[in-house]
Amino acid sequence: IEKDSSINDEIDKLRHSATSALFERRDVIIVSSVSCIYTLGDPAEYKSMTVSASPGLQISREAFIASLVRIQYERNDLVLERNKFRVRGDTVELLPSNNDKTALRVEFFGDEIDNVSEIDIVTGEVLHRLTRAVVYPATHYVTSAEKRQKAIDEIVSPVAFYIIGHFKITPRLACGRKPDCRQQIDCNGAKDHQ
């Protein structure tokens, strides 16, 4: 099969569709090549990063948008595309990672979801009112903030010791001048390893 970007996008959509079906339904069997499922990531991590929407849910529009961004959706107020969302007043519309035929419309009233609907992406016509919608991450490579921070910490500490030892610099210089920087190097520990 000759591959181009549209084929890759279609394959990605199908992978997301299969993954979400595994989580939502009990009657799913997937037959595929290893290359289709290779490097999908941690299923528990992927599922934990979903965003739910249902009428009556107490969440502000801004918090809902922040949740979408956290699972790597991008804002695009002009064109509604897969893995993107747009905001119009108290309404957020998004095209999920596992679908390119219909979109979700989430309407807010204050800090509460008022309505969740499945809509036609061309006309905007409401096809179905939903009692619950689950938005899966835009990529299979999504990682929680805690896991990401742990990985950064595991990388930064050995690098700091290497810099201190290799370049024979003082721990204070290795720590930098900003005490409020995001990644603090344990200068006391680094001093012991000189």
Side-chain angles (χ1 to χ4, degrees):
I1 298 174
E2 185 177 332
K3 291 188 177 182
D4 61 24
S5 62
S6 66
I7 296 292
N8 288 340
D9 189 55
E10 181 68 15
I11 290 170
D12 187 56
K13 181 193 72 160
L14 292 172
R15 287 174 63 169
H16 281 284
S17 180
T19 306
S20 63
L22 283 171
F23 286 122
E24 292 179 4
R25 300 177 52 172
R26 305 285 299 157
D27 61 347
V28 174
I29 297 174
I30 296 175
V31 179
S32 71
S33 67
V34 172
S35 64
C36 287
I37 58 172
Y38 187 71
T39 70
L40 280 181
D42 180 7
E45 185 83 14
Y46 182 79
K47 188 174 184 182
S48 73
M49 299 293 288
T50 59
V51 174
S52 293
S54 58
L57 182 67
Q58 295 290 316
I59 185 170
S60 69
R61 185 192 70 149
E62 291 74 21
F64 184 77
I65 290 170
S67 297
L68 293 176
V69 170
R70 196 170 21 262
I71 61 172
Q72 299 186 14
Y73 278 75
E74 297 176 18
R75 185 171 177 168
N76 182 342
D77 288 335
L78 300 176
V79 180
L80 193 56
E81 299 172 325
R82 203 169 65 82
N83 301 330
K84 307 255 189 300
F85 67 92
R86 65 182 173 204
V87 181
R88 294 181 175 163
D90 288 338
T91 301
V92 177
E93 295 177 342
L94 66 108
L95 200 52
S97 60
N98 60 345
N99 187 352
D100 63 356
K101 305 288 186 237
T102 59
L104 289 177
R105 177 180 290 155
V106 181
E107 300 171 77
F108 291 83
F109 185 76
D111 287 345
E112 182 179 315
I113 294 178
D114 193 32
N115 283 307
V116 180
S117 307
E118 184 178 11
I119 63 168
D120 182 281
I121 59 171
V122 177
T123 64
E125 176 188 348
V126 173
L127 302 173
H128 306 283
R129 294 271 185 216
L130 304 174
T131 57
R132 181 176 177 265
V134 177
V135 181
Y136 286 87
T139 176
H140 281 100
Y141 310 109
V142 70
T143 306
S144 68
E146 297 82 25
K147 207 173 208 180
R148 200 169 39 253
Q149 186 61 49
K150 182 179 177 192
I152 290 169
D153 292 343
E154 288 175 4
I155 293 167
V156 169
S157 186
V159 170
F161 293 134
Y162 171 79
I163 291 170
I164 291 168
H166 185 72
F167 295 106
K168 307 230 184 306
I169 59 176
T170 65
R172 175 149 320 279
L173 183 58
C175 289
R177 297 172 187 219
K178 294 182 180 179
D180 63 333
C181 77
R182 270 183 80 184
Q183 296 305 317
Q184 289 293 317
I185 299 169
D186 181 3
C187 291
N188 294 332
K191 194 174 202 176
D192 297 336
H193 290 82
Q194 271 188 315

